[in-house]
Each structure stands twice: as structure tokens, then as C-alpha cells.
Amino acid sequence: MRGLKGKVAVVTGGAQGLGEAIALRLSEEGCIVWLLDVQNEVVQTAENISRATGNAVFSSRVDIADETQVKDFFSRIASQHENVHILVNNAAAFLFKGVEASPEDWNKILSVNVIGTTLVTQNCIPLLKRSGSGAIVNMSSVSGFIGQSQFATYNATKFAIRGLTKCWAVDLADFGIRVNSVCPGYIRTQAFENSCIALGLDIEGENKRVSDLHILKRQGRPEEVASAVAFLASDDASFITGEDLMADGGYLAK
């Protein structure tokens, strides 16, 4: 991808799954990558990626729902880098409830998926502005387009991410900051397997069921989503903002 080498990128939810794949791809493209995650494993993930690519990859254990932790992180990164060029808002909580969802359920998922994403973006914007041509990539989902039984809590946040993407694209255009979202279909990650377990579903049976929902008849791979993110972060997408890029194997094409 054009224009990624040497750029500073922040990836939230980077300990595993999509976040890990995105960080690996950006590092392979020559970015200086910072991984944020609430999980301690983020440290080892950063070390593994740095060793694999030979490029600098840093990590920080941050709960993006905690405003103080987010502010402290960006104060620290500002002391080490003149600016940030790329922000990937990938961190998400997975909570699947329908109309019965309690206020506590809503607070739990909104605090990460919507408020946490907003906190990270707000605190990163001053560093993105300094770059003069920043890129924000938000992670939405096919679930941000459709209704699904017992998915109200999760889907609502993914609809919200798409709305934030378009509003922020308008707000930040004058600063040369582009804002887009990537909307994956079902991707075979640890998060997918954890969700199956939480819902009491057989993992392999659910894999077959959701694979058949895509016209390509398979689940996506994390690296395929990472390619979409890298494209939107790169100069190859310099005239693209406020858009949703589907990485869904044709899930919504039917």
C-alpha cells in the first residue's frame, strides 16, 4: 500500500483476532504500531509481531472505557511521537441480548463499543491533526446493517459505529483526516468461538451454518479484513471518506 511506511498507527483491541491481524499487516507495511488492549496478552502479541516483521511494535494495557487510562496513554504517546497518522478503532465488547437487555447490559457494551471508541478518537485527534493527512478506520460489521434475533445490544453498537464514522468524516475533513469503517461478515477468530460458547452453540456446527450465509460459502480470515483496513489507511484511499467498506464474502449481496 502506498504511503504507509514510517507512519505511526494505533490499533485498539490488538491482543488477538482482528486487532492482531491488522497490527501485523500495518507493521509489514512499515508502520510503527502501538497496540492497546485490556488483556495482558497484548505485550506478547506486540513482541511477536515486532520479531516477525523487524519493525517497531509497542503495547500498552488500556481499558478504553476508562477515560483516565485513555488520556494517560495519549499523553505518553505524544511524548514519544510528534504525531499519529492512523487510528484503528477495533476494540469491542461482545454481549448478545435482545429486547430483555437490562440497563446494566447496555451500559456494559456501550461503554466500550461506542463511548470507548469515542474517547480514544477524541484523545487521538490532536495527534492526527498534526499529521495533516490522518486516517481513522472504525470496525463495524454486517450486524450494523441488519436485524438479528437476540443481537440487539451488539447490533445497535455496530449501527452506531457506522453513524459515528459518517459524522466524524464531516467534522474532520477540514483537517485532512479521513474516517471510514470496515464491515466484516463472520470471521473465524477467537472472539467468534467465544461468542459461540457464550450462546451455548456448537462451534463447528455454527461455523458451517454461518459459512453458508456468505455467497463465497466460507467465513473470512482475519488477514483479509486486515487488508481492507490497510487499504483505507493508505494513500491508495486518499479520496475515500465517510464510507463503509464491506469485507463480508457477499453476506449482504443476497
Side-chain angles (χ1 to χ4, degrees):
M1 301 292 177
R2 290 188 305 118
L4 288 176
K5 187 175 178 60
K7 289 191 173 179
V8 178
V10 174
V11 180
T12 69
Q16 61 183 12
L18 289 182
E20 180 179 3
I22 291 164
L24 175 61
R25 177 58 186 271
L26 292 177
S27 183
E28 289 173 339
E29 294 285 349
C31 290
I32 300 164
V33 182
W34 279 85
L35 300 186
L36 276 65
D37 205 294
V38 72
Q39 300 181 65
N40 290 325
E41 290 82 356
V42 69
V43 176
Q44 188 61 56
T45 299
E47 292 176 357
N48 292 343
I49 294 173
S50 182
R51 191 160 46 245
T53 65
N55 292 319
V57 182
F58 305 98
S59 64
S60 186
R61 190 174 181 276
V62 176
D63 179 357
I64 67 167
D66 186 314
E67 185 174 9
T68 298
Q69 291 187 35
V70 172
K71 286 183 174 180
D72 287 348
F73 167 76
F74 280 101
S75 293
R76 189 161 69 254
I77 196 173
S79 70
Q80 299 183 46
H81 302 283
E82 183 178 349
N83 49 41
V84 169
H85 304 88
I86 299 161
L87 170 62
V88 182
N89 284 310
N90 170 72
F94 296 89
L95 176 66
F96 303 98
K97 293 285 184 72
V99 69
E100 78 284 358
S102 67
E104 291 76 15
D105 292 328
W106 282 110
N107 286 334
K108 181 177 180 180
I109 195 165
L110 289 170
S111 68
V112 177
N113 295 14
V114 178
I115 298 172
T117 295
T118 300
L119 288 173
V120 169
T121 303
Q122 288 173 337
N123 283 274
C124 192
I125 283 173
L127 292 167
L128 288 165
K129 284 181 178 179
R130 291 186 201 171
S131 73
S133 58
I136 299 172
V137 183
N138 297 323
M139 196 60 62
S140 184
S141 168
V142 293
S143 295
F145 290 83
I146 60 177
Q148 295 169 287
S149 177
Q150 295 300 299
F151 268 58
T153 45
Y154 181 74
N155 287 29
T157 66
K158 293 305 179 179
F159 270 91
I161 289 296
R162 292 181 55 233
L164 290 174
T165 296
K166 295 183 185 302
C167 292
W168 291 347
V170 175
D171 290 340
L172 298 174
D174 287 347
F175 303 101
I177 300 172
R178 297 180 297 105
V179 189
N180 294 287
S181 78
V182 172
C183 304
Y186 283 93
I187 310 298
R188 189 65 184 265
T189 63
Q190 188 61 52
F192 169 80
E193 296 184 1
N194 291 344
S195 297
C196 290
I197 294 170
L199 295 168
L201 302 171
D202 174 70
I203 292 174
E204 290 309 317
E206 190 65 4
N207 176 48
K208 175 63 169 62
R209 184 188 73 81
V210 301
S211 292
D212 288 342
L213 296 175
H214 306 78
I215 63 175
L216 294 182
K217 298 302 179 184
R218 66 174 176 85
Q219 286 198 68
R221 298 186 296 272
E223 60 267 26
E224 293 174 312
V225 178
S227 293
V229 172
F231 165 67
L232 289 175
S234 76
D235 290 349
D236 290 338
S238 58
F239 199 55
I240 300 174
T241 194
E243 298 295 337
D244 302 310
L245 176 57
M246 309 308 299
D248 70 344
Y251 185 102
L252 294 182
K254 295 181 290 183

